[in-house]
Amino acid sequence: MAGKLYIGTRRYSSWSLRGWLLVKLAGREVEDVVIPIQGGDTPAVKAVSPNGLVPYLEHDGAKIWESLAIAEYCAEFAPSLWPADRLARAHARAIAAEMHASFRPLRLAMPMNLGRDYSGLGQNPESLADIAHIDNLFTTTRATYGDGGPYLFGAAFNAADAMFAPVVARFLTYAPPLSATTAAYCAAVRAHPLVSLWYDLAAAEPESWRLDKYEGLK
Ligand SMILES: N[C@@H](CCC(=O)N[C@@H](CS)C(=O)NCC(=O)O)C(=O)O
């Protein structure tokens, strides 16, 4: 093992899912260190991570925090994490960066929970505006670059898909209104072997890691 990837409770930690997917897609052999999070200010996270957040990757002497920086680091080993075509690559980076910087109303209204069916919950004008915007991003990206496969840029599940995978997870848990294209994309992401593995590992986590604030939402 050439290092460690610190991640939070898989059931809840959306940013950890991004980092973990990126590291796995890049074929980096690191130990996964799962820290049960308390949904902010977890002392065990603060003790290891430079920004007090997960994911945090230590690999072969490099120390990388922030999921988008992890994406770029992983792409140094696996350049196909970004599309080969210049225009497609620019678009992939733009939507990944937008994901990293935005959509706070959606994230607040629909916290990731991989073990619940919260169909119909979390819809307010701001979260619905985020969802409509993301639906449009998915639809236009698929229409422009997605030929030849089910993912945003076609056959390969890449860094942009990894950045949006936790949004897909929210769409599956909260079932907001979605276009047919986005619903099909969500099904493809959920069926990806690494996403499936993450869901299985989340389902196997101890019940004692569950947090009241994310369970029993109404
Ligand atoms: N901008 C950061 C966000 C990371 C983040 O907010 N991680 C959350 C978990 S999803 C966290 O570490 N929270 C601290 C805690 O729960 O103690 C990134 O892109 O990696």
Side-chain angles (χ1 to χ4, degrees):
M1 293 279 180
K4 292 183 178 182
L5 176 68
Y6 294 91
I7 55 179
T9 310
R10 286 186 167 93
R11 184 179 179 90
Y12 305 131
S13 185
S14 54
W15 295 104
S16 297
L17 170 55
R18 296 179 172 98
W20 183 87
L21 285 171
L22 291 159
V23 168
K24 292 281 181 241
L25 289 165
R28 295 305 91 197
E29 300 257 324
V30 299
E31 178 193 350
D32 295 339
V33 181
V34 186
I35 300 174
I37 53 169
Q38 56 188 39
D41 292 328
T42 307
V45 173
K46 288 187 158 181
V48 293
S49 166
N51 66 344
L53 301 170
V54 281
Y56 169 51
L57 175 63
E58 292 176 348
H59 177 258
D60 200 16
K63 299 175 188 293
I64 316 108
W65 57 100
E66 291 294 339
S67 52
L68 201 51
I70 293 173
E72 293 298 353
Y73 182 77
C74 289
E76 292 186 29
F77 297 92
S80 64
L81 277 176
W82 297 118
D85 173 73
R86 180 178 64 88
L87 300 185
R89 193 164 61 251
H91 186 71
R93 283 199 162 107
I95 64 175
E98 184 178 8
M99 176 63 247
H100 190 244
S102 314
F103 311 128
R104 187 171 161 77
L106 167 65
R107 292 192 272 117
L108 283 178
M110 300 184 182
M112 193 173 94
N113 186 327
L114 301 186
R116 294 276 171 188
D117 177 354
Y118 286 150
S119 297
L121 298 186
Q123 296 182 26
N124 60 48
E126 294 78 20
S127 65
L128 287 170
D130 278 351
I131 290 164
H133 181 84
I134 293 167
D135 193 318
N136 185 256
L137 276 185
F138 287 171
T139 306
T140 53
T141 302
R142 293 259 319 123
T144 312
Y145 302 108
D147 272 356
Y151 303 117
L152 290 173
F153 293 84
F157 183 103
N158 72 11
D161 298 296
M163 289 301 288
F164 280 100
V167 170
V168 166
R170 289 176 164 94
F171 288 176
L172 295 172
T173 296
Y174 292 86
L178 298 172
S179 69
T181 298
T182 289
Y185 170 65
C186 291
V189 169
R190 177 63 183 87
H192 188 279
L194 287 174
V195 175
S196 275
L197 175 58
W198 178 275
Y199 268 80
D200 291 347
L201 293 168
E205 287 174 338
E207 281 198 26
S208 59
W209 290 8
R210 296 196 188 164
L211 299 172
D212 287 347
K213 64 177 169 181
Y214 299 137
E215 305 295 336
L217 297 193
K218 290 190 182 98

